[in-house]
């Protein structure tokens, strides 16, 4: 990993943004390709999806709409220990997601005047589950459960066809869909799947959805940007990121394991350590050199750690570490600090914050109860991770009776005239014309 030495420098927020390590070129390259793929799916539907399956997944002639028996077979074939772990995850995510559903509220503005704030679920959601370099049954839980908790009645799931499964969706993903009662599943992947969920594909019986959610690579994230506005999307959960902030009390071995755990996702994964301790930085580098070659996906990990998106960052003090982290706005933030619980409140921009040595990102990936579909690429400065709220729309219901409207009638007319929109005022006065005041 390269080293970025910020010691002895006082950087403005803009300057910090300029030095944070990110693979900007990869994101830009993905954007143009994703736009073309989404447009082609919208124009040619199933034909486009089949061409993409052959090109990207080495699959042809497969059933894009997954038959119900494939799902039933997958559920029956699920290993007991995996099923038990998934059921624990479902219960924990369901409990945490329920806390994200706001209660409706009524505000009485005056006599005969009230506004009801209510939260309405979207009618239909499309969830995307990656299936390229790894299999993500946990992502099925993280996407489907919050949608169900929100009250979404129709859920379509898409995941890439697997060449080694005869063009079927990976059986573990199908099994989790079955456990959760999702029977509308499509074998399609990448940016094309995002475009298909957003636009619909009549020949497959796929109706357009209202919200598209789910993690993926940079192409999936770029495809979400391409369909945003046409449908709702969660934050762009692209190639994974971990930022570790640590002081000299931290364990370099655990930090190295956590950096490697995220680097194994993808060659474009970001692994960043920010520390005030040069000794810790050296120790982590030593541990990485020892651990990384031994892991199953050593080549992938080596590429990610050597990439421009990964670095060890040296800073003078914890205040600079906080400023750097908040500018970077990582998907996953781990705090390996002597008083991590106290410090956590100051780290305000992150998809999820993992506090202390016994809260690694791997916990959040599977069984913390929190959601692991989180914003990447700095979006955590303004965007939230996936949750029940992703599938809810705040809606205002306005109820006024005659007396309630009469109380503000003159003020409405005055404002309407001030804005040169007299018909607005006339719509008010018409309700009182010819009646006793």
């Amino acid at each position: 990993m390269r080293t970025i030495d910020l010691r002895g420098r006082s950087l403005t927020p803009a300057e910090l943004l300029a030095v944070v390590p990110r693979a900007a070129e990869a994101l830009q390259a993905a954007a143009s390709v994703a736009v073309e793929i989404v447009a082609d799916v919208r124009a040619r539907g199933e034909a486009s999806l089949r061409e993409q399956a052959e090109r990207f997944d080495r699959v042809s002639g497969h059933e894009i709409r997954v038959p119900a028996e494939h799902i039933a077979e997958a559920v029956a074939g699920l290993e007991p220990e995996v099923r038990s772990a998934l059921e624990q995850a479902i219960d924990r995510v369901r409990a945490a997601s329920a806390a994200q559903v706001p209660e409706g509220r009524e505000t009485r503005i005056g006599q005969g005047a009230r506004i009801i704030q209510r939260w309405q679920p979207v009618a239909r959601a499309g969830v995307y589950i990656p299936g390229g370099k790894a299999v993500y049954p946990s992502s099925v839980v993280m996407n489907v459960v919050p949608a169900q908790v929100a009250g979404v009645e129709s859920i379509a799931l898409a995941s890439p066809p697997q060449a080694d499964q005869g063009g079927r969706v990976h059986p573990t993903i199908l099994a989790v869909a079955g456990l959760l009662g999702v029977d509308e599943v499509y074998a399609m992947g990448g940016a094309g799947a995002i475009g298909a969920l957003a636009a619909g594909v009549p020949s497959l019986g796929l109706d357009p959805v209202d919200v598209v959610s789910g993690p993926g690579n940079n192409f999936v994230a770029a495809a979400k940007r391409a369909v945003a506005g046409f449908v709702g999307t969660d934050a762009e959960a692209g190639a994974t990121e971990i930022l570790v902030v640590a002081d000299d009390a931290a364990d370099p071995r655990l930090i190295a394991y956590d950096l490697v755990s995220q680097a194994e996702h993808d060659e474009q994964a970001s692994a960043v350590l920010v520390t005030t301790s040069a000794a810790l930085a050296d120790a982590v580098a030593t541990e990485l050199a020892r651990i990384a070659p031994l892991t199953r996906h050593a080549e992938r990990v080596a590429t990610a750690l050597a990439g421009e998106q990964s670095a060890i960052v040296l800073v003078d003090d914890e205040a600079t570490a906080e400023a750097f982290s908040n500018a970077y706005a990582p998907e996953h933030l781990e705090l390996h600090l002597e008083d991590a619980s106290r410090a956590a409140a100051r780290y305000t921009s992150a998809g999820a914050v993992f506090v202390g040595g016994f809260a690694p990102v791997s916990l959040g990936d599977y069984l913390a109860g929190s959601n692991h579909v989180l914003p990447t690429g700095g979006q955590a400065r303004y965007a939230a991770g996936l949750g029940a709220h992703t599938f809810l729309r705040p809606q205002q219901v306005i109820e006024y009776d005659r007396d309630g409207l009469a109380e503000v009638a003159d003020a409405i007319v005055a404002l309407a005239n001030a804005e040169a929109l007299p018909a607005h005022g006339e719509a008010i006065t018409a309700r009182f014309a010819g009646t006793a005041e």
Side-chain angles (χ1 to χ4, degrees):
M1 292 173 70
R2 65 192 177 111
T3 298
I4 299 174
D5 194 343
L6 300 182
R7 291 173 299 181
R9 299 174 62 183
S10 178
L11 301 176
T12 67
E15 290 170 334
L16 280 170
L17 281 172
V19 298
V20 295
R22 281 221 162 86
E25 291 183 7
L27 289 169
Q28 291 169 1
S32 59
V33 174
V35 168
E36 292 177 4
I37 290 174
V38 167
D40 193 55
V41 170
R42 188 172 294 172
R44 300 195 301 121
E46 183 178 348
S48 177
L49 291 171
R50 291 198 176 279
E51 289 175 10
Q52 291 170 40
E54 189 166 2
R55 176 184 174 189
F56 299 119
D57 304 307
R58 307 183 311 283
V59 167
S60 61
H62 64 301
E63 295 180 273
I64 298 180
R65 176 110 184 210
V66 175
E69 57 265 29
H70 290 186
I71 300 175
E73 289 171 11
V75 173
L78 194 59
E79 295 180 4
E81 63 272 22
V82 176
R83 178 168 184 156
S84 176
L86 287 166
E87 287 172 343
Q88 287 185 62
I90 289 168
D91 290 344
R92 287 170 176 247
V93 174
R94 197 176 298 281
S97 298
Q100 298 172 334
V101 180
E103 294 184 3
R105 297 187 63 178
E106 177 182 312
T107 305
R108 292 200 171 271
I109 305 297
Q111 186 64 34
R114 67 174 185 157
I115 296 176
I116 300 167
Q117 310 282 350
R118 66 185 185 187
W119 294 81
Q120 295 284 91
V122 298
R124 182 163 163 77
V127 302
Y128 180 71
I129 310 301
K133 295 182 175 67
V135 180
Y136 297 101
S138 57
S139 289
V140 182
V141 177
M142 299 293 175
N143 281 268
V144 172
V145 170
Q148 292 176 333
V149 168
V152 178
E153 294 185 357
S154 176
I155 299 174
L157 185 150
S159 190
Q162 303 294 304
D164 61 358
Q165 300 290 333
R168 294 189 181 191
V169 169
H170 194 280
T172 311
I173 289 174
L174 288 182
V176 188
L179 289 178
L180 290 168
V182 177
D183 57 9
E184 186 182 352
V185 182
Y186 299 89
M188 54 190 188
I194 302 300
L197 290 169
V201 183
S203 66
L204 299 173
L206 172 56
D207 293 325
V209 302
D210 301 309
V211 168
V212 174
S213 73
N217 59 20
N218 288 332
F219 293 96
V220 170
K224 285 185 187 177
R225 187 174 297 181
V227 301
F230 184 68
V231 295
T233 65
D234 60 341
E236 295 172 16
T240 193
E241 303 166 347
I242 179 173
L243 187 148
V244 178
V245 178
D247 56 24
D248 54 12
D251 185 333
R253 184 178 63 90
L254 296 182
I255 293 172
Y257 271 110
D258 292 354
L259 294 172
V260 169
S261 75
Q262 295 307 295
E264 77 172 337
H265 276 285
D266 192 276
E267 289 85 354
Q268 295 177 359
S270 300
V272 180
L273 167 65
V274 179
T275 183
T276 55
S277 171
L280 178 76
D282 290 342
V284 170
T286 299
E287 290 293 333
L288 284 172
R290 180 181 66 84
I291 293 169
L294 303 177
T295 193
R296 177 179 177 182
H297 302 295
E299 186 174 349
R300 187 186 306 161
V301 169
T303 301
L305 294 180
E308 63 178 329
Q309 73 275 15
S310 298
I312 294 174
V313 181
L314 292 170
V315 296
D316 286 317
D317 49 42
E318 190 174 327
T320 307
E322 292 166 12
F324 182 93
S325 177
N326 288 333
Y328 185 96
E331 178 188 21
H332 307 104
L333 170 63
E334 287 189 3
L335 299 179
H336 292 244
L337 301 169
E338 190 169 6
D339 193 357
S341 295
R342 174 191 56 81
R346 300 195 297 273
Y347 289 83
T348 55
S349 296
V353 183
F354 297 81
V355 180
F358 289 93
V361 170
S362 298
L363 172 66
D365 283 343
Y366 298 114
L367 282 168
S370 57
N371 203 292
H372 77 201
V373 184
L374 301 166
T376 61
Q379 291 186 88
R381 288 185 295 114
Y382 55 84
L386 184 68
H389 48 78
T390 304
F391 306 98
L392 292 167
R393 299 158 293 151
Q395 189 177 63
Q396 299 179 91
V397 180
I398 298 94
E399 291 188 12
Y400 271 58
D401 62 15
R402 185 183 186 282
D403 291 341
L405 182 60
E407 184 178 349
V408 293
D410 289 345
I412 294 172
V413 170
L415 289 172
N417 289 336
E419 293 188 352
L421 298 171
H424 282 59
E426 290 160 7
I428 300 300
T429 57
R431 285 164 165 76
F432 301 96
T435 62
E437 294 294 335

